[in-house]
Amino acid sequence: MTEQIDKALAREYEAGFVSDIESETFEPGLNENIIQRISAMKGEPEWMLEWRLSAFREWLAMEEPEWALVDYAKIDFQSISYYSAPKSMKDKPKSLDEVDPELLRTYEKLGIPLIEQQMLAGIAVDAVFDSVSVVTTFREKLEEAGVIFCPISEAVHKYPDLVKKYIGSVVPKKDNYYAALNCAVFTDGSFVYIPKGTRCPMELSTYFRINEQNTGQFERTLIIADEGSHVSYLEGCTAPQRDENQLHAAVVELVALDNAEIKYSTVQNWYPGDENGKGGIYNFVTKRGICHTNAKISWTQVETGSSVTWKYPSCILKGDNSVGEFYSVALTRGRQQADTGTKMIHIGKNTKSTIISKGISAGRSNNSYRGLVRMNPGAEGARNFTQCDSLLIGDQCGAHTFPYVESRNPSAIIEHEATTSKVSDEQMFLCRQRGLDPEKAVSMIVNGFCKEVFKELPMEFAVEAGKLLEISLEGSVG
Amino acid sequence: MSNTKSLLTIKDLYASVEEKQIIKGLDLDIKPGEVHAIMGPNGAGKSTLGYVLSGRDGYSVDSGSVTLDGEDLLEMETEDRARAGLFLAFQYPVEIPGVSNLEFLKASVDAQRQARGEDAITSADFLKEAKAACKQVNLPVAFLKRGVNEGFSGGEKKRNELMQMLLLKPKLCILDETDSGLDIDALQIVAEGVNSQRSADRSFIVVTHYQRLLDYIKPDFVHVLSDGKIVKSGDASLALELEAQGYAWLQKEPVEDELEG
């Protein structure tokens, strides 16, 4: 088994290549002048610049968090460049025909041809290449429905009232170290607004890709679902191979107003580093949503990439009868480290939350679930169900579970189930005795383990997620 | 019969588990269509033989040879042995949560077809076959959708093994104490299933501790395994003799009462 796992470590990252696109990139460094230049590049209004600067000042006084079960070299924030944009962006493409062909080829290598996606899946794709949104499609169809789906840099100009009202309303500027940094230097991301009573006519999707060396990427996403509306959003990510660790500190804020529903799905496949853990993405993300009365937010994530992950998509269940869900598959191999989970904060009456977490560890990786369930005094009749399962492949990896439960309301009900299991020799033997090769056997066993989460993904992405796991496990047994 | 080519030939086989030698000079020759029962006391090496033949990790061959259809079985990977037509019905079938029986079985059948250069079976055709197999082993069709052995009773697991055998159509079936933990009704169902599969081009090794199973599956030969080798061979009447007299009369030394691997 160990030998089989060693082979997995040797597998090269399939999305590892660097596209040759000329970029406009700031020199490394972080100070107020850099922030002013970012803001100026985007032609931002004064209030936005002020917001950035105040966040930066907060950040300077903050300490880098060290409580997560991850180990990595200290980041030198002055050695990072905080702005990078493909040059061809100077003249924004009006259609795909005008998009830099090198860029399109890059996506094709990743198996996400935009044209095909639009035609086959009917998905509006807002592709973020490094820091700038390159192409936004299907916007017209969305506009018909009154849905706004655009780069957040554009929303700052076009919909300043909405941005001003909601940005930082779910994740405050000084919420945590990386969120504060993001507020100061974010370059782009997606903005979504679904009007009252509207069901978004299609899945919204964004592909992020980090391309420029030494460029930290700080996306900022804001999704507002107005009363009684419904939206499903998918975020997928991959990045090319490089030697130096890259910092990725995104902030995602979801606002589900009364009776609204937001489904946010993530497939994350960033470069995990080489077999010694060198290179790879540092993924320090703050994702949080707030649910008003009868609203529902559902996070589904399939995480297979990054060298270090620090991520806790959370729900603040403020309104009565609101519902929060978290479905997660986190796969680590090689030297990957993941500390991920969720927070469910029950404030309103009869609020309900469900947490299903599936952690898979292979190689010499470490995979931790860290979750908080808090029942506030007013959370009369609130309920939580948590199920946390870990699967170990081989005997050199680690799985850890850190559940935090705080209940200040005696009527609240909290259930927690946890299991740890191994892909056992008996299971492998059964599969092979029936004629399956070891790779197919492992991928089948792991997919079975993840079934509860995959069924929460939009159909076409469930298939992709299964495929991604299979690719990620390729060679993990020989 | 004596001129027929052998399906399985084991010559002077020595094999170990965790450096402990369990099989010590075993010879066995099986021709197509024959049913051989292997009986013996606990610790004789009965289950070990099945694992060694099917190539389970941790079971190593020290010396000797085994051929299946003239091919060197010991050179093959576990899955290649299965694809060559060797099937092991487990004594304790393991669960694979979340993987449906149907998905598992189709993947197995397809892997074996692919090895033979055939196309994958269509889902519709496979479902038809799988439903028929369910019926034959008296399992509700709903079991196809349940996780492999997940929450199955002991008897259901054994019948599930049998169903896999029906679908995979192996040349050599090794039934590893398939009777253990079965009540008489379940035993009959399993035995009938096995009997229905007896044919001129399919052979069986029926490993069992008790004669009971052999009331239903009539063996052509009975071998007594003791301390890693066959100490006595005979026809079906040998099983009855063993039932009456126990194993002690065949053993020069007392056998350690230990669990088999």
Side-chain angles (χ1 to χ4, degrees), chain B residues 140-151:
Chain B
V141 169
F143 273 68
L144 292 172
K145 287 195 174 163
R146 287 175 56 179
V148 177
N149 293 319
E150 207 178 347

Side-chain angles (χ1 to χ4, degrees), chain A residues 365-387:
Chain A
S365 68
N366 253 314
N367 202 326
S368 305
Y369 167 81
R370 188 183 302 275
L372 167 68
V373 176
R374 178 186 290 157
M375 302 296 185
N376 277 15
E380 205 65 34
R383 296 196 65 149
N384 161 264
F385 173 75
T386 299
Q387 186 186 325

Side-chain angles (χ1 to χ4, degrees), chain A residues 8-14 16 239-246 268-282 304-309 332-337:
Chain A
L9 301 176
R11 191 181 73 80
E12 281 183 30
Y13 182 65
E14 298 211 339
Q241 185 162 7
R242 64 195 63 251
D243 284 321
E244 282 184 55
N245 287 306
Q246 285 187 300
Q268 190 263 114
N269 182 27
W270 278 331
Y271 181 52
D274 67 15
E275 59 193 279
N276 296 314
K278 194 170 173 338
I281 304 293
Y282 289 176
T304 63
S306 299
S307 58
V308 183
T309 299
T332 54
R333 62 196 167 91
R335 296 266 182 183
Q336 278 177 288
Q337 307 172 71

Side-chain angles (χ1 to χ4, degrees), chain A residues 1 4 424-427 429-438 440 444-449 451 478, chain B residues 51 54 56 77-79 82-83 86-88 90 95 97-99 103-104 107-108 111-112 161 164 168:
Chain A
M1 201 72 182
Q4 296 165 344
S424 70
D425 291 345
E426 284 86 0
Q427 289 171 328
F429 179 52
L430 168 62
C431 292
R432 295 181 67 190
Q433 211 300 305
R434 297 304 183 248
L436 299 174
D437 60 48
K440 175 73 185 164
M444 185 181 268
I445 294 166
V446 170
N447 268 292
F449 176 75
K451 192 160 268 181
Chain B
Y51 290 149
S54 51
R56 183 169 186 168
E77 295 287 349
T78 310
E79 56 272 25
R83 293 164 186 172
L86 186 150
F87 179 92
L88 176 68
F90 288 83
E95 300 188 1
V99 178
E103 182 186 354
F104 174 71
S108 303
Q112 299 209 10
E161 292 291 292
Q164 294 171 33
L168 290 168

Side-chain angles (χ1 to χ4, degrees), chain B residues 190-255:
Chain B
V190 169
E192 278 165 25
V194 170
N195 288 330
S196 76
Q197 294 301 298
R198 288 178 74 158
S199 74
D201 53 7
R202 181 168 298 131
S203 310
F204 289 84
I205 296 176
V206 181
V207 173
T208 180
H209 188 74
Y210 301 104
Q211 195 270 336
R212 191 178 67 151
L213 180 65
L214 305 181
D215 286 341
Y216 300 96
I217 303 173
K218 293 283 178 216
D220 300 307
F221 300 94
V222 174
H223 309 279
V224 180
L225 189 66
S226 180
D227 194 25
K229 55 183 171 289
I230 289 170
V231 294
K232 194 168 174 60
S233 295
D235 60 16
S237 64
L238 177 59
L240 295 167
E241 217 173 312
L242 288 167
E243 180 81 351
Q245 303 187 26
Y247 293 107
W249 62 283
L250 291 166
Q251 294 164 343
K252 288 171 192 145
E253 296 163 33
V255 166

